[in-house]
Amino acid sequence: MDYTDYGVCRLSVVPVRAAAADTSAQTTQLLFGEHYEVTEQTRDRAWLRIRIAYDQYEGWLDARQHHSVSREYFDYLNRTEFKITTDLTASILYNKSPIPILIGSIIPISSSELFKMEEQFAFNGDAKNLGQKREPEFLYKMAYKYLNAPYQGGGRGPFGIDASGFTQMVAKLCGYTLLRDVWQQANQGRAVKSFQERKMGDLFFFKDAEGRIVHTGIFQGGDKIIHASGRVRIDALTEAGIEDFDTKQLTYAFAHIRRILPD
């Protein structure tokens, strides 16, 4: 059924699924503070199809986890420079009730304080302005916070994350926007012509036997890469691809490099 509404995530982390069923695969997640447009609902109104404002990703949300907001407030969220949390975990007092939140959550408190708050928040953790761009050293500091996070398809948090979710969230924490899926990210930023021209912070992409882009990670210098494979881990990087530090086996075949940080 066609339907228009707007929402903002007011829970710690919420699954977004490929289809309108709990048994459907999780394709991404909403973190606290992320907002979205509702474009459709099932006949029983149990599921909502949403389009996430940050990356335009679409999927299905359990209607019981939807927090409706006005179009005016949605537009306000789009244009206001809020804070993004940099603590691995933190707590926010929302309408006088504590909620645990994860790194990368959006706190709707702006530095200008010129906002029309419909809700009440209190937050005392570490955060930065969402759009503030940071240097490679900060990127690695954020990436290392995810070390040993278990791999989870569609995950975007430190307790479950996939390869493109990892690169997207680290980039977001540094003030850069990446799309959600690995094949989308593979066309963003600027092309790096050769392996020899790689720089710290570059995104490396890897292919399967058919040449399809299936994996990504962040070059950390010293011929090492940090990526999500089984867990967020650091492995060796060669011109052939990723070499597992433990088994010395080639796990992913090198495809190309993209640069999102300034030269």
Side-chain angles (χ1 to χ4, degrees):
M1 296 173 58
D2 289 338
Y3 177 70
T4 302
D5 194 7
Y6 303 91
V8 62
C9 183
R10 287 291 175 254
L11 298 170
S12 303
V13 57
V14 171
V16 178
R17 301 188 182 279
D22 285 320
T23 54
S24 179
Q26 173 181 267
T27 53
T28 193
Q29 292 175 331
L30 288 168
L31 302 183
F32 187 94
E34 295 186 314
H35 61 295
Y36 53 89
E37 180 180 0
V38 181
T39 60
E40 186 180 349
Q41 66 178 346
T42 54
R43 290 191 178 276
D44 61 4
R45 300 182 180 178
W47 290 87
L48 306 174
R49 185 168 180 82
I50 68 169
R51 181 184 301 117
I52 300 169
Y54 179 71
D55 57 13
Q56 300 300 298
Y57 204 81
E58 297 189 25
W60 290 90
L61 175 73
D62 187 326
R64 294 170 295 184
Q65 297 175 320
H66 170 55
H67 181 88
S68 183
V69 298
S70 67
R71 172 63 189 265
E72 180 186 24
Y73 191 61
F74 177 84
D75 290 341
Y76 164 68
L77 294 175
N78 279 334
R79 66 176 183 266
T80 305
E81 177 75 342
F82 288 133
K83 303 286 188 180
I84 185 169
T85 59
T86 55
D87 287 325
L88 191 65
T89 60
S91 181
I92 189 169
L93 195 65
Y94 161 55
N95 287 344
K96 300 181 181 180
S97 180
I99 297 178
I101 60 173
L102 307 178
I103 186 172
S105 298
I106 305 301
I107 307 302
I109 300 173
S110 69
S111 55
S112 66
E113 303 298 328
L114 297 176
F115 51 87
K116 299 171 290 184
M117 292 305 301
E118 298 178 359
E119 303 152 312
Q120 294 300 314
F121 298 91
F123 174 71
N124 293 318
D126 288 333
K128 62 175 282 291
N129 286 342
L130 179 60
Q132 180 189 11
K133 292 178 168 52
R134 297 296 300 270
E135 64 287 346
E137 289 76 15
F138 185 82
L139 182 145
Y140 290 115
K141 182 180 177 181
M142 294 298 103
Y144 292 164
K145 290 193 175 192
Y146 291 90
L147 270 178
N148 294 312
Y151 184 92
Q152 180 187 112
R156 295 173 70 233
F159 303 115
I161 200 163
D162 62 23
S164 57
F166 171 66
T167 50
Q168 185 192 52
M169 290 307 303
V170 172
K172 185 175 185 179
L173 287 159
C174 293
Y176 298 91
T177 301
L178 289 179
L179 297 175
R180 180 60 181 90
D181 287 335
V182 64
W183 63 269
Q184 297 173 309
Q185 295 179 11
N187 296 306
Q188 291 189 256
R190 306 177 303 286
V192 177
K193 294 181 180 180
S194 69
F195 186 87
Q196 287 70 31
E197 295 179 57
R198 66 196 184 280
K199 289 185 178 180
M200 292 176 61
D202 284 346
L203 298 182
F204 271 66
F205 292 90
F206 305 89
K207 59 189 177 182
D208 63 12
E210 284 73 45
R212 294 171 297 195
I213 301 298
V214 294
H215 191 65
T216 185
I218 302 170
F219 176 56
Q220 67 163 55
D223 289 334
K224 295 178 182 177
I225 190 166
I226 182 167
H227 65 127
S229 179
R231 56 183 169 85
V232 176
R233 54 183 291 141
I234 296 171
D235 280 312
L237 184 65
T238 72
E239 290 191 57
I242 297 178
E243 184 181 282
D244 187 300
F245 264 137
D246 300 321
T247 66
K248 307 304 179 186
Q249 298 291 316
L250 192 72
T251 55
Y252 295 97
F254 171 68
H256 66 266
I257 307 168
R258 305 293 292 190
R259 183 165 297 155
I260 59 168
L261 298 178
D263 286 317

